[in-house]
C-alpha cells in the first residue's frame, strides 16, 4: 500500500439511515488500497450505524455546513492520490474502484465516471442501465452545458485536479458537483465506463426531491457562470 496508488473515498453523512450500507460497499471493494473517510456533517440521527466500522474508517465530525463543506473536509484529511465520493445513501459495486483505476491508467485520463442503476428504499433496482449518450468530447460538452448527467457517486479523479480547479464550492447547496465538473472539463480529459458500477438510491428524503425548486434555480445559475468558458471550449473542440 502506498500513497501513489491509494484511493481516498469520502462519504458525507448527515442523518442518513443507509450510511452503514454505503460503508460496507466501500469495505467490500476488490481494490484494496482504499482509505475510507466518513465526514459526519453534524448529524443528530443514525450515528450508531457507524459504530461497528470505526476501526476501519477515518471518522471526522464537523458542524453542519452542507455537502460541499463535508467533501472538502474529507479532502483535507485524505492521503490518497485519487478521490472518489460516495453519497451515504448510494452503493458501490464490488469492482468499481478497481475498474476505474484500470480505466484511468489505460486511457491516460485524470477523471473517470460510470454508468449506474436506480435503486429504491429497499435496495431493489428499478431501472435499466443509466448510461451517457454517444461519448464524443464535443457532444459531451454540449450535454454538460444543458444539464449534469454525471452522477457524483460514480466519479473517481486524480487529486492533482484540485490544484488546478480548486475544491468544491461550499456556497452551492445542491450543485457543488455540477460546478466542479464544469470547472474541470476545460483542463482535463475524461474517460467513461459504460458498465454500471453504482447503485443510486432514489427515495423521498433525498435532497433533489425535498429541494427541487431551489436546485433548479441553482442549476441555472451554475450554467450561466460557466457558459462563456464552455462555449469557447466547444468551439475549440469542434475545430480539432
Amino acid at each position: 500500500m502506498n500513497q501513489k496508488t491509494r484511493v481516498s473515498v469520502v462519504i458525507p453523512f448527515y442523518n442518513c439511515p443507509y450510511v452503514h450500507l454505503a460503508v460496507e460497499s466501500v469495505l467490500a471493494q476488490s481494490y484494496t488500497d482504499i482509505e475510507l473517510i466518513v465526514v459526519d456533517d453534524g448529524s443528530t440521527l443514525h450515528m450508531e450505524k457507524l459504530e461497528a466500522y470505526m476501526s476501519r474508517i477515518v471518522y471526522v465530525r464537523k458542524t453542519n455546513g452542507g455537502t460541499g463543506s463535508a467533501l472538502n473536509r474529507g479532502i483535507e484529511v485524505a492521503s490518497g492520490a485519487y478521490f472518489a465520493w460516495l453519497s451515504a445513501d448510494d452503493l458501490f459495486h464490488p469492482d468499481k474502484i478497481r475498474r476505474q483505476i484500470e480505466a484511468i491508467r489505460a486511457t491516460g485520463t485524470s477523471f473517470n465516471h460510470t454508468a449506474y442503476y436506480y435503486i429504491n428504499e429497499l435496495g431493489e433496482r428499478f431501472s435499466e442501465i443509466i448510461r451517457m449518450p454517444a461519448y464524443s468530447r464535443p457532444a459531451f460538452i454540449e450535454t454538460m452545458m444543458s444539464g449534469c448527467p454525471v452522477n457524483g457517486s460514480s466519479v473517481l479523479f486524480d487529486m492533482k485536479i484540485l490544484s488546478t480547479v480548486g475544491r468544491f464550492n461550499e456556497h452551492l447547496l445542491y450543485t457543488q458537483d455540477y460546478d466542479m465538473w464544469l470547472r474541470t472539463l476545460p483542463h482535463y480529459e475524461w474517460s467513461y465506463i459504460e458498465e454500471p458500477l453504482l447503485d443510486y438510491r432514489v427515495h423521498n428524503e433525498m435532497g433533489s426531491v425535498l429541494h427541487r425548486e431551489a436546485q433548479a434555480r441553482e442549476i441555472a445559475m451554475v450554467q450561466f457562470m460557466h457558459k462563456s468558458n464552455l462555449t469557447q471550449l466547444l468551439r475549440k473542440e469542434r475545430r480539432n
Side-chain angles (χ1 to χ4, degrees), residues 209-237:
V209 173
L210 295 175
H211 308 289
R212 193 181 305 274
E213 292 184 7
Q215 184 183 53
R217 290 193 297 270
E218 197 171 275
I219 287 171
M221 180 183 71
V222 167
Q223 289 172 342
F224 179 78
M225 287 167 49
H226 294 280
K227 183 176 180 180
S228 177
N229 286 342
L230 292 176
T231 299
Q232 293 179 35
L233 177 65
L234 184 58
R235 288 172 182 161
K236 177 183 175 182
E237 292 292 334

Side-chain angles (χ1 to χ4, degrees), residues 35-59:
E35 170 187 57
L36 174 51
I37 304 166
V38 178
V39 181
D40 182 342
D41 193 34
S43 294
T44 58
L45 299 171
H46 306 301
M47 293 91 79
E48 74 283 354
K49 293 178 180 286
L50 293 172
E51 290 176 0
Y53 308 102
M54 285 299 185
S55 64
R56 304 177 69 187
I57 67 175
V58 177
Y59 174 78

Side-chain angles (χ1 to χ4, degrees), residues 120-221:
N120 61 20
E121 292 94 335
L122 301 176
E124 300 165 335
R125 291 176 185 159
F126 66 90
S127 72
E128 299 297 323
I129 298 171
I130 309 301
R131 283 194 175 104
M132 291 286 301
Y135 204 87
S136 71
R137 185 162 166 83
F140 181 57
I141 294 168
E142 280 191 294
T143 298
M144 291 293 287
M145 291 174 73
S146 60
C148 185
V150 179
N151 189 306
S153 289
S154 80
V155 164
L156 183 145
F157 63 75
D158 192 316
M159 283 281 198
K160 293 176 182 177
I161 284 177
L162 300 172
S163 299
T164 302
V165 305
R167 297 179 183 177
F168 290 93
N169 186 339
E170 298 183 15
H171 298 292
L172 298 173
L173 297 180
Y174 314 109
T175 58
Q176 66 284 327
D177 53 347
Y178 190 19
D179 170 72
M180 173 67 87
W181 313 155
L182 294 182
R183 282 188 278 135
T184 303
L185 195 54
H187 302 284
Y188 293 94
E189 293 291 331
W190 295 22
S191 54
Y192 178 64
I193 298 174
E194 291 192 342
E195 178 185 344
L197 295 173
L198 170 77
D199 288 333
Y200 174 71
R201 196 182 305 271
V202 178
H203 55 94
N204 290 332
E205 297 302 313
M206 62 195 302
S208 58
V209 173
L210 295 175
H211 308 289
R212 193 181 305 274
E213 292 184 7
Q215 184 183 53
R217 290 193 297 270
E218 197 171 275
I219 287 171
M221 180 183 71

